[in-house]
Amino acid sequence: MKDDLTVKPMQPYIMLEADNLNTVDSTDMGISHFYEFELNQDSTHKTKAVPDGSVDLLFNLGRNKVTTYISGTVFGVKSWELGSNDRCFGVRFQPGKGILPDELSMEMLVDNDLEIDGDIFGENITEKIVMAKDIYERSKIFKEAYEELVFSRISLSDKEKINDYLVSRITRAKGQVTIQQLEEETNYSACYLRRIFKSYHGISPKQFAQYIRFQNLLEQINKDDIRFDDIALECGYYDEAHMMREFKNYTGKTMEQYKHIMKGRI
């Protein structure tokens, strides 16, 4: 069950504010990558999240306690609770992917951080993760437990097949596809497609496409010697002004501020 990863969802504030950030890419079961980082003792143990169309599962690791949070995509830049301990291990799913245990629904997660019992993803998984020696061992533990959840799914229903097509089509187009195109390609009405997509993701196909387009923008903006108007054209915005307004709404920063901050990190 290997996936063709066309968008690697990025959370830039984690990259900027966390210490000793380490990541391990994944190519299967709808997982984008695993990540692990530390927080300074004087840290507020919060950061900010930006829209990515993805689900994050975060294990805040303490010696005597593991606190587990699960979060859906945010609508705009928003505070992100990281827990009280200094080490975190996370799983970031590919946009629109991820199988949830029966106790959870996507409507519960969208624009929200939810504290959960991490063991609903696997028997004693939180204890195994906290006892593991490094991110590689933790990643393996999670994948082995999550595999059981993934392969417990019976064959896909027609609605699930439509949803999978929509997610794949939008991500492969990097958000540059209209509901009219999807309507023509599937022979289903726009209203029906919106209803199916929202029932699985808690957001509309248009919102999802905007978040994928924005994630592509985050990747493009870090390239050297590229003009903002060229980026706007590459990422499918109406014009440079439209791109800048959306970027400020989604990050809380102007594009110039963001580039300056990211350059200072390198």
Side-chain angles (χ1 to χ4, degrees):
M1 273 187 66
K2 294 210 169 184
D3 305 306
D4 294 327
L5 181 59
T6 55
V7 176
K8 183 176 179 178
M10 183 188 306
Q11 288 296 333
Y13 286 101
I14 286 280
M15 297 165 60
L16 289 168
E17 297 172 0
D19 296 321
N20 301 320
L21 177 64
N22 191 14
T23 63
V24 174
D25 289 342
S26 177
T27 58
D28 55 2
M29 297 190 294
I31 299 170
S32 169
H33 57 280
F34 300 92
Y35 56 97
E36 188 167 297
F37 60 88
E38 296 176 353
L39 300 164
N40 289 324
Q41 292 292 335
D42 58 352
S43 169
T44 59
H45 294 86
K46 287 184 180 180
T47 187
K48 293 174 185 157
V50 302
D52 61 3
S54 301
V55 170
D56 272 78
L57 183 63
L58 187 78
F59 297 88
N60 183 247
L61 308 177
R63 290 186 177 180
N64 301 314
K65 181 182 179 183
V66 177
T67 307
T68 309
Y69 300 94
I70 191 167
S71 311
T73 188
V74 294
F75 298 148
V77 61
K78 184 179 179 181
S79 177
W80 185 3
E81 174 66 47
L82 299 176
S84 59
N85 298 303
D86 293 334
R87 179 176 291 275
C88 294
F89 168 74
V91 185
R92 183 163 302 140
F93 292 91
Q94 293 176 21
K97 300 287 187 176
I99 307 298
L100 297 177
D102 293 338
E103 294 88 340
L104 299 173
S105 70
M106 194 58 67
E107 284 187 349
M108 298 165 61
L109 306 184
V110 170
D111 206 39
N112 193 23
D113 296 322
L114 191 65
E115 184 176 341
I116 63 169
D117 177 2
D119 287 345
I120 63 175
F121 278 88
E123 187 175 357
N124 299 322
I125 191 172
T126 53
E127 181 181 355
K128 293 174 184 175
I129 284 175
V130 77
M131 295 296 292
K133 63 182 180 181
D134 56 30
I135 186 173
Y136 301 101
E137 194 171 309
R138 291 186 178 99
S139 302
K140 182 180 178 182
I141 289 167
F142 181 82
K143 288 179 80 169
E144 287 175 351
Y146 184 64
E147 187 176 46
E148 293 187 22
L149 182 62
V150 171
F151 289 104
S152 68
R153 293 176 77 190
I154 307 172
S155 59
L156 295 180
S157 67
D158 288 342
K159 287 184 178 180
E160 287 173 321
K161 289 176 183 177
I162 294 170
N163 172 64
D164 282 0
Y165 176 80
L166 295 176
V167 169
S168 177
R169 180 69 174 88
I170 293 169
T171 53
R172 288 180 184 281
K174 298 187 177 178
Q176 298 183 55
V177 61
T178 66
I179 191 67
Q180 289 76 23
Q181 288 173 291
L182 296 173
E183 192 175 26
E184 291 173 3
E185 292 168 8
T186 61
N187 290 319
Y188 290 104
S189 71
C191 181
Y192 184 68
L193 294 178
R194 289 190 190 99
R195 188 163 65 247
I196 286 181
F197 195 90
K198 191 163 187 180
S199 71
Y200 284 102
H201 305 285
I203 57 176
S204 69
K206 182 178 179 180
Q207 284 176 290
F208 183 71
Q210 288 171 340
Y211 300 160
I212 296 301
R213 179 177 64 186
F214 165 68
Q215 285 289 320
N216 186 35
L217 172 57
L218 287 179
E219 182 178 341
Q220 298 299 322
I221 196 175
N222 289 323
K223 294 180 178 178
D224 294 329
D225 302 323
I226 185 168
R227 293 156 44 105
F228 284 171
D229 56 349
D230 290 335
I231 297 176
L233 182 64
E234 169 73 20
C235 294
Y237 290 93
Y238 299 125
D239 52 33
E240 187 177 338
H242 174 219
M243 175 182 70
M244 288 184 165
R245 283 195 304 272
E246 186 169 285
F247 190 89
K248 180 72 180 292
N249 180 47
Y250 286 171
T251 65
K253 305 288 184 185
T254 67
M255 291 180 67
E256 288 285 3
Q257 288 172 329
Y258 179 84
K259 281 189 69 106
H260 178 73
I261 292 170
M262 293 303 288
K263 280 186 177 180
R265 183 185 67 89
I266 299 173

